[in-house]
Amino acid sequence: MAAPLLLTGASGRVARLLLPALSDRPLRLLDRTAPADPSEVPAGAEVLTGELTDRALLARAVDGVDAVVHLAGDPSPTATWDDLRGPNVDGFAALLGAASEHGVRRVVHASSVHAMGRYEASGRVPVDPTWAPAPCCPYGATKAFDEAVAGVFSHRWGLSTIGLRLGATVPAPTVRSQLRGWLGPEDLRDLVTRALQTPVVAGVYPAVSGAEHPHWDLRLAADDLGYVPRLDSRDHAAAVEDDGTDVATCPPPDPVG
Ligand SMILES: NC(=O)c1ccc[n+]([C@@H]2O[C@H](COP(=O)([O-])OP(=O)(O)OC[C@H]3O[C@@H](n4cnc5c(N)ncnc54)[C@H](O)[C@@H]3O)[C@@H](O)[C@H]2O)c1
């Protein structure tokens, strides 16, 4: 029998969109909250409930696992450092440590377009994923940290780490700002599947839908992962509400004075 895959943040919104793509393998699900709808838990999946920073729970979660898809975290661009530090910084570092110690092959982790948000805010687009991180908010800074610490685990201890800078990951865009950074369910599932399989040992890629994307340069994702978006937010443009911006990340701050 194949080794299980660990999905963290398994009760969250992105996980619920992703789970249909993972149901062909043994699954272990970890979250601090139990699944809201037990009927959405794939048959045979093992469910663990607790904190990412609980080392005993983590050791149990990664034991015998081949790969981790890490989604647990605080996803709010307006969250404070105090809110973010536990889940996005300490929790992720603890997960990488446990994965490395237990011989996990690969961790695919959810980063965010907010790790590169200052480029978008200043109009320096399309954003090349090889540029230095330029977060637009504390949340984006924690994601940039996660990318950096994942790279350290790959470089020093041989743990394969693939970061996906998710855009707005919702079934369909509902407001104008989501058009530039939407990641639709089919493309999410395709990207994560490809990230689990790529021969690349370590990398970070934009994860948005839309061919010839005006804001996020997808050429590296095409080269390394074979990712070609199948969905396009332009198909939803006529139906969205106008929330006053085209920018998917944080807008530039108001000038002082
Ligand atoms: N939803 C998006 O549009 C989006 C965009 C970019 C990046 N992301 C990233 O994708 C991931 C998932 O986002 P989401 O929208 O599904 O968020 P979500 O809040 O719906 O789900 C996150 C899940 O993680 C769990 N969790 C949080 N901290 C935990 C901890 N310390 N220990 C155990 N479980 C913990 C929560 O209980 C929750 O079920 C996050 O890392 C987020 O930053 C999401």
Side-chain angles (χ1 to χ4, degrees), residues 121-139:
S122 63
R124 198 171 155 200
V125 294
V127 179
D128 182 327
T130 64
W131 293 346
C136 49
C137 52
Y139 165 71

Side-chain angles (χ1 to χ4, degrees), residues 9-244:
S11 302
R13 287 162 297 180
V14 174
R16 290 167 72 185
L17 294 177
L18 177 63
L19 270 168
L22 304 178
S23 55
D24 62 342
R25 63 194 90 197
L27 275 180
R28 197 172 285 167
L29 309 179
L30 171 66
D31 201 295
R32 59 162 52 137
T33 61
D37 180 356
S39 72
E40 288 183 4
V41 176
E46 196 183 336
V47 177
L48 301 176
T49 307
E51 285 295 315
L52 275 178
T53 43
D54 177 342
R55 304 231 167 203
L57 177 71
L58 269 186
R60 205 172 129 211
V62 297
D63 187 42
V65 154
D66 169 60
V68 179
V69 176
H70 174 67
L71 302 177
D74 187 326
S76 172
T78 56
T80 64
W81 296 113
D82 282 347
D83 294 334
L84 294 160
R85 189 176 299 125
N88 292 17
V89 176
D90 297 336
F92 185 52
L95 173 75
L96 290 170
S100 181
E101 280 165 25
H102 284 77
V104 171
R105 174 182 62 88
R106 171 161 300 167
V107 175
V108 175
H109 59 101
S111 182
S112 165
V113 290
H114 287 258
M116 301 295 266
R118 290 209 306 280
Y119 295 119
E120 201 190 31
S122 63
R124 198 171 155 200
V125 294
V127 179
D128 182 327
T130 64
W131 293 346
C136 49
C137 52
Y139 165 71
T142 64
K143 293 298 183 180
F145 169 84
D146 288 349
E147 294 173 2
V149 76
V152 171
F153 272 83
S154 295
H155 176 68
R156 291 208 77 83
W157 297 295
L159 174 66
S160 175
T161 58
I162 303 291
L164 298 175
R165 290 177 176 150
L166 306 186
T169 309
V170 290
T174 54
V175 289
R176 184 155 67 96
S177 60
Q178 289 177 337
L179 293 174
R180 293 280 191 220
W182 179 51
L183 176 64
E186 201 183 327
D187 287 335
L188 165 74
R189 292 168 194 152
D190 183 44
L191 259 171
V192 171
T193 304
R194 290 175 181 281
L196 286 167
Q197 291 169 352
T198 179
V200 172
V201 173
V204 178
Y205 306 93
V208 293
S209 293
E212 292 170 28
H213 205 288
H215 280 205
W216 305 100
D217 186 337
L218 294 174
R219 284 175 299 180
L220 190 66
D223 290 348
D224 284 6
L225 307 180
Y227 172 61
V228 178
R230 291 178 230 174
L231 303 172
D232 197 315
S233 65
R234 285 175 290 197
D235 297 335
H236 299 269
V240 298
E241 268 180 52
D242 189 352
D243 60 346

